Amino acid sequence: MQVFAPIFRVTPLFLLALLCATMAKGQEIDRRAQVAAAKADALQSLQTEILSAAITPEITLKDLLDRIGAADEFSNSLGKARQVGGTRWLDDDTCQVRVEMDGKQVARTVLRLVEAEPKKSPLSIDTIHNRLSAWHQRSFTATGKSTGPGAVESLRPRGAHPAWNSVGDDERRQAIAKARLNAGQRVLESIGPVELSDGKTVEDALKDNAVRDPLEQWLSRRPVTSVEFREDLEIQLTEAVPPVELSDVLRDALEHQHGATVPADEAGWSKVRSEIVRRVGTPVGRAKVLSGRGNVTRTIVVLPKDPPVWADQQIDATGIAHGQRKSLLVTQDARDIALKRLREQIHALPLTKDLNIGQAAKTDADINDAVEDAVQHRSHVYKVRYLDDGNVETRLSLDLSDLWAELQRH
């Protein structure tokens, strides 16, 4: 008796269904990564808000934790923050996640850390306990956003500096793409020194394209949490790169490459993972548009020998952005407005008897660069509010001692 195997015919309809299922699965994975990125962004904002909270008029929580050497341990405790409500998709490409942490829980964590290092604390435990008792009646909240990698290059600098008016779409897209590439390169550079085995490092392994390519491809698909269009025509872009996932991608690439040097056992892989987690910070990429740059005359302004009276002060600014629909750019617009107001306050500060910083920045490129570095990299977001009318309010602060340090450095 002959047995005939059933014939399975691959039809175009079946192939289409398989393709659609594969694409849907990929989109689901991308959306999960995007939600995770938004939550990480929210936790980062939550940490900034909590650390800026004052314990006394002179000492913030950040000051206290830095003094007792417990900043990292406190940061780890923020993983207990709970998500408020579900994930909100503000448009096809942008999602929003809100997190909250009970003030009582924060107070308990702080007291535990101080009790472990009481001699390093600038305040007594009783004083801290009394000051933090008011936190039992409050909660800390923050909101994070992310946008998908496919939509990033279409972002436009709404409300940015007029210099962007002369930048074409192709130039802008190329600069965004270069900023993304730069962010990925910085990530790979940061983990390069991590030792794998027998004195070989990740940097050595990445010389093999079969190892490097999967990591670069993975990095190119990461969601983006921030895009800044600076007035000097530089784009600054922040990607979401979970270090643990990065270590898993690296391990998979190494294990699929015959002859690659890898750790001998799970303990070795665990050490590699821990070192990657320690080294990978917030991946920021930068790129400049090559045309339309402003021209600042190279005239040197001599700084005063002693710090100005304003060097021990702090300034802050608020920006409110309006938009018919909420998106990553609306939040960025609010931050840009706040940055512009910080910059205006800085320009009005006296530098010498006859010259303020704004006047000096127009003639001395180093001073202009110092101001931009202080505004862009030393200012801190201490509050973001998503208002009921669809507007976004962002508040920034800047310690002017940081500005003075930048002026001296340049």
Side-chain angles (χ1 to χ4, degrees), residues 300-374:
I300 298 176
V301 175
V302 178
L303 297 178
K305 180 179 179 181
D306 298 322
V309 294
W310 47 257
D312 61 352
Q313 299 172 7
Q314 178 178 295
I315 59 174
D316 55 57
T318 299
I320 298 178
H322 311 274
Q324 293 182 344
R325 65 173 186 169
K326 297 180 181 178
S327 68
L328 187 70
L329 274 182
V330 179
T331 303
Q332 189 57 54
D333 288 347
R335 185 175 186 274
D336 288 342
I337 293 170
L339 288 173
K340 179 180 179 181
R341 291 176 178 171
L342 275 183
R343 191 179 294 109
E344 290 171 349
Q345 293 181 58
I346 290 172
H347 284 171
L349 294 171
L351 187 61
T352 67
K353 182 179 178 181
D354 303 314
L355 197 68
N356 64 29
I357 291 179
Q359 293 167 329
K362 290 180 179 179
T363 60
D364 189 326
D366 287 336
I367 290 179
N368 183 71
D369 290 344
V371 171
E372 286 307 305
D373 282 345

Side-chain angles (χ1 to χ4, degrees), residues 7 46 52 61 63 91 96 108 129 131 140 150 158 228 248 257 269 273 306 308 314 317 324-325 346 352 354:
I7 297 176
L46 182 69
S52 65
L61 179 56
D63 298 329
D91 53 45
Q96 176 181 296
R108 282 200 303 264
H129 184 275
R131 292 283 183 172
F140 296 92
R158 295 184 300 170
E228 298 179 19
D248 290 341
Q257 179 60 13
W269 281 114
R273 181 182 293 108
D306 298 322
Q314 178 178 295
Q324 293 182 344
R325 65 173 186 169
I346 290 172
T352 67
D354 303 314

Side-chain angles (χ1 to χ4, degrees), residues 8-9 53 62 66 79 122 137 143 169 175 182 222 224 229 280 287:
F8 182 75
R9 181 173 296 172
K62 182 180 185 303
D66 287 343
Q137 310 302 320
T143 304
D169 290 345
N182 180 247
R222 301 309 307 159
V224 171
F229 295 93
V280 176

Side-chain angles (χ1 to χ4, degrees), residues 37 40 183-184 187 218-219 222-223 225 238-247 276 280-284:
V187 171
W218 181 79
L219 288 167
R222 301 309 307 159
T225 57
T238 305
E239 285 191 327
V241 180
V244 173
E245 290 185 33
L246 174 64
S247 66
I276 289 176
V280 176
T282 302
V284 176

